[in-house]
Each structure stands twice: as structure tokens, then as C-alpha cells.
Amino acid sequence: DERGIKPDGTIGKDTRAALNVPAEDRLRQVVVNLERARWILPTPAGRRVEINLASYSLAVYQDDQVILTMSVVDGTAENQTPPLSTAITTVVLNPTWTLPPVVLKELRGHRDSYFAKHGIERQIIEGEVRFVQPPGPDNPLGRYKFVMPNSQDIYLHDTPDQGKFRFSLRNYSHGCVRLNNAPGLAALLLDDKPEIAPGVLDDKLQTGTTQHIMLSHPVPVSLVYRTAWLDPNGKLVLGLDPYGRDLLLWSALHRT
């Protein structure tokens, strides 16, 4: 809706909170998003992916036309997903998961039992000790991982926990972006490869082995933070600010 809240037919806490936002705060929201719009470079022609972290949404564009949309889950307030601009280069089927330091820290005290339950193995990779979960139904990356080189090791991936997509606020990850339609994105990104005919991806998934499929051409992907935007009908949507970045930007713009 025009407040970026999932319609549910009731006046819930999110609706009440949105209605109680003062008009001057809404004006400030528009101003900071107009400032963000000034930073945007011209969008490239062809295919591109855009993720709005504030609205938990992904859109694939072909030139200026939206050809695929889906919901996403992004990082918690403590593990915020950063804005970035890069390109998707590879689709990984049946990915392994290397546990990041933040997860290892959270597991302190019951690491051994967790490792045993999920089949996590200790490996030496490039001279460093890593803990790796093999592919499988409970792998946190699901059946698809989308590689997009960046210095912060952020990537897009499938998830076995589809229940989180029912919520309006979807900040649950350690920083990477979970997709509710990873198969759809994979099929679209690989649709120009003649060897990936309908059914081929499913056959490859059924092997259970990890496979890397390079895209014919890297597809630009942008992770943006936009709390106000226009819907497909050109109507202004004043959404949520889950990371509290609007106030920070407003303060930076009005320093004395």
C-alpha cells in the first residue's frame, strides 16, 4: 500500500505506527530520498537486478521493463546488508555453506552439537581453517547461490526457511540476501544459455553435487536503500526505514 505495509484487513501495530507518523517526518522522508536519487548513476541498458533493502524487494529489469519481482530477507540491525553495486557472474547449484565468523561466535558453547547435527566439516582452505556445511535440505543457502564479487562477501541465495517471507519486516539474515524465488531468478539469468534447456537445472539439482554455472554475461546488480518510491502506477509509496538511515542522512544534510 502507500505506506509500504502488507495489507492484512486489520488495523495492526504497523498500520497504527504509520498513521501516527507526523506530516513533517513524512516530508523529511521525501527529502532524504530525493537526495538519494541524486546519487544514482544512469541505469545501463539491457538486463539488471535491483534490490531495495528498505522494502525487502527484488526486481529484474529488461531495459526499463520489470520482468520479475520477488520478496527478499536482508540483514538484521546488527548485521546490516550494505548498499553496493556489482554484477552477478555465477549461479551455484547445491552450494556449500562456509560458516562466517559471526555465526561461529553465536554458536559458542554448543558448536560441537550443531556441527554434528548438520554434518559440518573442518577444512583447510587456502591455508585457513574453515567450517563447511555440505549441500542438503537444511543447508541455509538452499539450492541456489548467486555469486556477485564484492569486498564484503555479500551474495544472494535461496533458503529453506520460506516462512520468514510472510512477515512485513524481514531483517533476519547475517547480511546476505535471501530470495523467495531463487529458481525463478536462476532460470531467468541463464535463459540465454542453450545448454540450460527447461528441466536441465532440475536434473542438475537432483545430483546433489555442487555445480558452478557462469552467466554468458555478468548481470549488473544494485543493492539500494530507498524508503520512498513510485509504485507501477506512479503513486508515491512512503515505506519503512528498518535501518534508521533516513534520520542519519537528514542530520548529515543539516549540519551547522
Side-chain angles (χ1 to χ4, degrees):
D1 73 352
E2 64 185 16
R3 295 293 181 265
I5 301 170
K6 183 178 180 180
D8 58 10
T10 64
I11 302 178
K13 61 181 180 62
D14 293 335
T15 302
R16 288 195 297 272
L19 292 174
N20 288 330
V21 174
E24 57 267 26
D25 288 357
R26 290 301 188 189
L27 177 59
R28 180 175 65 193
Q29 184 175 357
V30 171
V31 170
V32 296
N33 280 279
L34 287 173
E35 175 64 21
R36 289 186 179 113
R38 294 178 60 245
W39 309 341
I40 299 175
L41 297 174
T43 55
R47 186 165 294 179
R48 62 184 176 89
V49 178
E50 182 180 280
I51 298 168
N52 184 359
L53 301 171
S55 65
Y56 313 104
S57 62
L58 176 151
V60 181
Y61 292 84
Q62 186 65 46
D63 297 320
D64 293 327
Q65 298 297 315
V66 176
I67 58 175
L68 180 69
T69 61
M70 69 184 70
S71 299
V72 307
V73 166
D74 46 53
T76 63
E78 296 75 24
N79 302 288
Q80 297 183 15
T81 304
L84 58 86
S85 181
T86 179
I88 300 173
T89 61
T90 309
V91 176
V92 184
L93 306 181
N94 297 314
T96 60
W97 179 48
T98 300
L99 279 69
V102 64
V103 173
L104 292 172
K105 183 178 180 180
E106 292 174 358
L107 292 174
R108 189 176 299 163
H110 60 282
R111 182 180 296 185
D112 291 345
S113 60
Y114 184 90
F115 284 7
K117 179 180 178 181
H118 297 283
I120 295 171
E121 305 167 348
R122 182 180 184 272
Q123 299 181 5
I124 305 296
I125 302 176
E126 298 179 350
E128 296 186 7
V129 176
R130 307 283 178 87
F131 296 95
V132 180
Q133 183 172 342
D138 66 342
N139 187 296
L141 304 190
R143 300 187 302 164
Y144 300 86
K145 174 182 175 181
F146 301 84
V147 178
M148 47 185 212
N150 62 90
S151 62
Q152 302 182 71
D153 197 26
I154 300 297
Y155 49 85
L156 317 180
H157 65 88
D158 187 19
T159 173
D161 185 8
Q162 293 290 312
K164 294 290 193 297
F165 295 106
R166 297 196 305 266
F167 303 132
S168 295
L169 301 177
R170 296 192 290 274
N171 301 103
Y172 293 100
S173 83
H174 289 92
C176 290
V177 179
R178 306 175 191 173
L179 312 175
N180 82 325
N181 184 13
L185 181 60
L188 187 59
L189 294 177
L190 299 171
D191 67 357
D192 63 345
K193 297 180 76 71
E195 67 272 27
I196 308 298
V200 169
L201 286 181
D202 286 339
D203 291 341
K204 290 180 177 293
L205 288 168
Q206 292 306 314
T207 68
T209 60
T210 302
Q211 301 182 55
H212 294 71
I213 306 176
M214 296 286 292
L215 274 60
S216 299
H217 306 282
V219 173
V221 56
S222 298
L223 276 63
V224 303
Y225 192 85
R226 190 178 300 127
T227 64
W229 62 90
L230 299 179
D231 70 10
N233 298 315
K235 186 176 182 180
L236 177 64
V237 179
L238 298 174
L240 305 173
D241 181 18
Y243 291 157
R245 293 178 181 171
D246 281 2
L247 181 57
L248 293 175
L249 179 53
W250 178 265
S251 299
L253 293 172
H254 293 82
R255 286 176 181 163
T256 57

